[in-house]
């Protein structure tokens, strides 16, 4: 099948009658779309909640642990001159 035959076959298909769509299909599609939007919104809110909780947990840890402060030395320097 060459290009012109494919184009003519595609034109015949497009010019032909449209397939009958069941009437309940529209309602099903609307309900499914609404459900998908609710699920996406809930997932987005959950991700934001987890992100905020992680930020608060990190802040509390950083304030209590103070990782930017140098820890005290565990060994004492040698004593000389006794």
């Amino acid at each position: 099948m060459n290009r012109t035959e494919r184009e003519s076959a595609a034109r015949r298909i497009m010019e032909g009658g449209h397939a009958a769509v069941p009437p309940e299909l529209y309602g099903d599609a609307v309900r499914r779309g609404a459900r998908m939007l609710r699920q996406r919104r809930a997932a987005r809110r959950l991700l934001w909640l987890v992100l905020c909780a992680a930020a608060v947990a990190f802040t509390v840890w950083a304030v209590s642990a103070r990782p930017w402060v140098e820890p005290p030395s565990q060994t004492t320097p040698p004593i000389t001159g006794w």
Side-chain angles (χ1 to χ4, degrees), residues 11-20:
R11 283 193 183 95
R12 278 195 309 270
I13 291 172
M14 287 189 282
E15 290 173 355
H18 298 288

Side-chain angles (χ1 to χ4, degrees), residues 2-80:
N2 60 17
R3 181 179 174 151
T4 56
E5 291 174 353
R6 283 187 303 208
E7 287 178 357
S8 63
R11 283 193 183 95
R12 278 195 309 270
I13 291 172
M14 287 189 282
E15 290 173 355
H18 298 288
V21 177
E24 68 273 359
L25 186 64
Y26 175 75
D28 291 344
V30 169
R31 280 191 297 278
R32 184 175 293 156
R35 184 174 61 233
M36 286 174 56
L37 287 176
R38 280 193 310 270
Q39 288 173 348
R40 285 181 186 170
R41 189 179 308 129
R44 198 176 308 124
R45 286 180 182 170
L46 180 66
L47 287 175
W48 275 110
L49 179 68
V50 168
L51 179 67
C52 290
V56 168
F58 176 76
T59 303
V60 168
W61 170 80
V63 167
S64 65
R66 297 186 349 189
W68 55 88
V69 176
E70 185 176 332
S73 176
Q74 298 295 326
T75 59
T76 57
I79 297 176
T80 58

